Amino acid sequence: MKTSKIIVAAALTLLATAGAQAETYEGVHAPTSVASRAEVQSQAVVAAHGDNPYAEGANSGVQAVASTADRAVVRSEAVATAHNPLQSLDRRAFYRDQVPAQYRKPTVSFTRQAGL
């Protein structure tokens, strides 16, 4: 009985090793490029000094923007926005995302009144 179990185990082991064959290693494949080493090196230098085609947002470099707005108008809008006391007001900072009434109307006036 004991020898039959050993024979059966050996047979199963042989079947398992025969069924678990891996791929054969064929080594490193030969290069199939027709470009010379100097051509590839010159292409690499051009690619290294060129723009990144995969860049997004801030990494994409300087972008040229064609604007039709007057410089003085844009500056005056920027100054007005910078002096707005409620510019950075975020409704999420308040209870139940509701801005209190005292913050809805600016209490500070930036206009000058002539004194009589």
Side-chain angles (χ1 to χ4, degrees):
M1 181 79 175
K2 197 172 201 178
T3 55
S4 64
K5 287 184 180 180
I6 292 173
I7 293 173
V8 170
L12 288 175
T13 304
L14 286 173
L15 286 174
T17 56
Q21 292 290 327
E23 287 185 20
T24 58
Y25 178 68
E26 298 174 9
V28 178
H29 296 288
T32 57
S33 175
V34 293
S36 69
R37 182 180 213 116
E39 290 172 354
V40 171
Q41 184 176 9
S42 66
Q43 291 172 358
V45 169
V46 169
H49 290 94
D51 292 335
N52 184 359
Y54 305 108
E56 296 179 1
N59 297 329
S60 63
V62 177
Q63 300 293 322
V65 177
S67 177
T68 58
D70 185 30
R71 183 180 184 95
V73 172
V74 172
R75 185 179 188 287
S76 65
E77 289 175 359
V79 168
T81 303
H83 286 94
N84 185 359
L86 303 178
Q87 174 64 28
S88 62
L89 184 67
D90 189 2
R91 66 180 181 85
R92 294 176 294 178
F94 297 99
Y95 178 68
R96 292 189 180 168
D97 294 339
Q98 294 178 358
V99 179
Q102 64 265 28
Y103 289 113
R104 291 191 187 139
K105 294 182 182 178
T107 57
V108 180
S109 175
F110 292 105
T111 59
R112 294 184 181 176
Q113 299 287 329
L116 296 176

